[in-house]
Amino acid sequence: MADEIKEFLSFLIDGEEYGVNILDVKEVRGWSDVRKLPNSESYLLGVLELRGEYIPIVDLRQRFSMDAATLSKTTVVVIVRNVSGQSLGIIVDAVAEVYQLSTTQIKSAPGYVKIDERFIEGIASVDSKHVVLIKLERLFDFDELHEVAQPDLVSEG
């Protein structure tokens, strides 16, 4: 079997580097206020209307059971999409690099990683550091988040 090369966009959260498949990334943008949603998960900050689509915005730090992100004009939102084309905005501390990784560079996650292993595709060693590669569709239920984010349920906030 040939060694496949994939590209990953990496970003920082709490000093650690994480990555997602770049094919899942729709855009990277700065912070803008979101419409809050009542009775939603604490990590779901609200929705952002972007080109006619309501996109759930989530705090990846809170999803990883870390302290909430500090929101400011320097906050970065990475808009990602799943295989069904549903979009989701994840708040990260900073965008880092784009890496080209071969499948042989991606190893199984060891037990010491800060987040639940079922959310991890693997870990890659790059330039003497480790990048944790995330499985977005295991980390978030896109269908549920989009159901909650329907415009008729949105309140200004």
Side-chain angles (χ1 to χ4, degrees), residues 11 19-26 58 60 63-64 78-83 86 88-90 92 118-121 133-142 145:
F11 47 84
V20 294
N21 190 315
I22 200 153
L23 296 177
D24 296 335
V25 176
K26 195 170 176 180
V58 297
L60 204 49
R63 184 65 178 102
F64 289 163
V78 179
I79 307 291
V80 295
R81 66 179 160 246
N82 67 0
V83 293
Q86 295 170 309
L88 175 70
I90 56 175
V92 301
R118 41 188 184 137
F119 305 140
I120 300 174
E121 181 175 329
L133 306 174
I134 300 171
K135 292 181 185 175
L136 288 171
E137 296 204 32
R138 287 206 184 151
L139 190 57
F140 298 106
D141 183 335
F142 280 74
L145 288 170

Side-chain angles (χ1 to χ4, degrees), residues 35-48 54-58 86-88 141-155:
R35 294 179 179 172
K36 299 196 182 315
L37 296 170
N39 304 317
S40 58
E41 297 287 343
S42 62
Y43 60 81
L44 177 58
L45 300 183
V47 294
L48 177 67
Y54 283 94
I55 300 173
I57 304 297
V58 297
Q86 295 170 309
S87 297
L88 175 70
D141 183 335
F142 280 74
D143 289 331
E144 181 181 313
L145 288 170
H146 275 267
E147 189 175 305
V148 170
Q150 292 305 309
D152 57 324
L153 300 177
V154 174
S155 63

